[in-house]
Amino acid sequence: MFITVHTSQDSTVMFDAVCTAADAAAPPALPPCCRRGRKTAGIAYAVIYSLSCVTKHSPRFEVLLAGRVLGGIATSLLYSAFESWLVAEHFKHGFSGECECGQAATSSNGWSKVCLLILNKVLL
């Protein structure tokens, strides 16, 4: 067995890949969650994230990068399933108008990601 050393630049690329994949997968992930159901979205999350975890044992950078992208997509799918549930419960309990809870969560999630990206650039 051998150890592969990855540079801090590699770490930055992988971190950026997760964020980009999650951002790109977020808008198209919500409609299937609403159409096919949250249970199906949860199962799809488990399968995709399991594939992501399998790639963590590879010494090859390309495989690790693909695993990070899969992890970003899976995480976006999981958040979409929870957001779909939140909106469904909002209307189920008779609240009218637009559900602003999901917007606040999405906004705070985006700001925390921006702060982490800045921290990543400073530390690495």
Side-chain angles (χ1 to χ4, degrees):
M1 180 166 236
F2 58 93
I3 297 174
T4 303
V5 178
H6 296 288
T7 65
S8 64
Q9 180 66 29
D10 293 342
S11 298
T12 303
V13 168
M14 286 194 281
F15 186 79
D16 291 344
V18 171
C19 294
T20 304
D23 287 344
L30 188 57
C33 289
C34 294
R35 237 181 330 203
R36 302 201 184 248
R38 294 176 297 276
K39 181 179 178 182
T40 305
I43 292 170
Y45 160 78
V47 169
I48 294 170
Y49 200 77
S50 295
L51 291 172
S52 170
C53 290
V54 168
T55 65
K56 305 290 190 243
H57 301 287
S58 174
R60 296 186 54 207
F61 178 74
E62 297 82 13
V63 176
L64 291 171
L65 187 62
R68 295 292 180 135
V69 169
L70 285 174
I73 292 170
T75 303
S76 183
L77 183 61
L78 182 66
Y79 279 112
S80 295
F82 281 125
E83 190 171 335
S84 173
W85 169 76
L86 179 69
V87 171
E89 287 296 313
H90 176 81
F91 290 114
K92 179 180 163 184
H93 291 289
F95 296 112
S96 61
E98 190 174 318
C99 180
E100 296 176 5
C101 301
Q103 291 174 348
T106 302
S107 177
S108 65
N109 188 20
W111 280 110
S112 64
K113 183 173 56 173
V114 167
C115 292
L116 287 174
L117 283 170
I118 292 169
L119 184 65
N120 182 40
K121 298 291 183 187
V122 169
L123 293 177
L124 297 178

